[in-house]
Amino acid sequence: IGISTPFVYGGGIRHEHDAISAIQKGADRISLNNILFERPDAVRKIAHCLGSQAIIGSLPLHRIDGVLKHYNYVTKKSDDISREIVRLLEDNLISELLISDWLNEGSLDGFDIDLLKAKELLGPKLIAFGGLGDPLVGKKVIGLSNVSAVAVGNPFSYKEHAIQTYSNQLKTDCLRSPYFRDERTYDWNQ
């Protein structure tokens, strides 16, 4: 088919054996969230076994009084970004960070761009998620030098050709040209 997007698995990874199992079952990369905060030593072991290129950190973030906070979906509490997380980034043990603006998930244009400029997140490339349904907001985000991708969810679920339309509206050289096949006129016998 020619798909070049890596398959990323996330959820339930507690130690290096879970991470290795996910890769052995076909994942190209793994996404880590709670383990970053609960067991950064385990993240180091995973990076040693798989290499940092296989690890995407997932951080639901927001700011309280200008201070960057991580939101824990399990405890429903916000915590400061720990020194251990910053060390993982400084040591290049995480290749990319999925930054979720969890307060704006589901909105069309609420993404807090300042989250991507936080000094605590220097190092890996960033993937922005949450509140990016408006292509104009997506264009601002994808234009930042430390951003490698935007992730958009709900706005693509309810309209035909939504992904292609969004890509066309971005009008940036950072993206490949959108392609879709009109099923009404496509010759399926080719």
Side-chain angles (χ1 to χ4, degrees):
I1 296 178
I3 296 173
S4 60
T5 303
F7 178 71
V8 180
Y9 174 82
I13 296 175
R14 299 171 307 265
H15 45 69
E16 69 272 17
H17 304 293
D18 292 336
I20 291 168
S21 177
I23 298 295
Q24 288 173 336
K25 290 179 180 169
D28 297 299
R29 303 175 78 192
I30 56 168
S31 176
L32 304 176
N33 184 330
N34 287 341
I35 193 173
L36 294 172
F37 297 90
E38 295 170 359
R39 300 189 48 231
D41 58 313
V43 176
R44 289 184 177 282
K45 288 180 184 177
I46 293 169
H48 177 73
C49 292
L50 299 178
S52 64
Q53 81 288 344
I55 301 173
I56 298 173
S58 177
L59 300 176
L61 299 176
H62 63 287
R63 290 187 183 276
I64 297 176
D65 297 326
V67 177
L68 190 66
K69 300 284 187 176
H70 162 258
Y71 181 73
N72 186 319
Y73 286 108
V74 176
T75 65
K76 307 288 187 228
K77 294 181 181 176
S78 296
D79 299 308
D80 292 343
I81 301 292
S82 70
R83 181 67 192 135
E84 289 83 11
I85 298 298
V86 174
R87 243 184 254 120
L88 290 172
L89 300 176
E90 289 172 348
D91 293 343
N92 296 312
L93 297 176
I94 297 171
S95 64
E96 288 182 290
L97 282 175
L98 173 67
I99 303 300
S100 299
D101 181 353
W102 75 274
L103 289 174
N104 289 304
E105 286 179 13
S107 73
L108 290 177
D109 61 356
F111 189 86
D112 179 2
I113 294 176
D114 287 338
L115 294 175
L116 303 172
K117 299 173 183 176
K119 65 182 183 315
E120 298 91 339
L121 306 179
L122 296 177
K125 288 289 190 176
L126 305 178
I127 303 167
F129 176 71
L132 292 163
D134 183 337
L136 295 176
V137 178
K139 189 172 186 174
K140 287 180 190 175
V141 169
I142 200 75
L144 297 174
S145 62
N146 61 335
V147 174
S148 61
V150 294
V152 181
N154 286 344
F156 293 166
S157 298
Y158 306 108
K159 293 181 183 170
E160 189 173 359
H161 307 304
I163 296 169
Q164 296 85 354
T165 301
Y166 188 94
S167 294
N168 277 333
Q169 290 174 351
L170 282 179
K171 292 187 173 98
T172 176
D173 293 335
C174 300
L175 300 173
R176 65 180 175 261
S177 296
Y179 168 80
F180 66 94
R181 167 174 60 217
D182 186 339
E183 306 223 351
R184 295 168 295 179
T185 60
Y186 183 73
D187 181 2
W188 291 94
N189 296 318
Q190 291 189 66

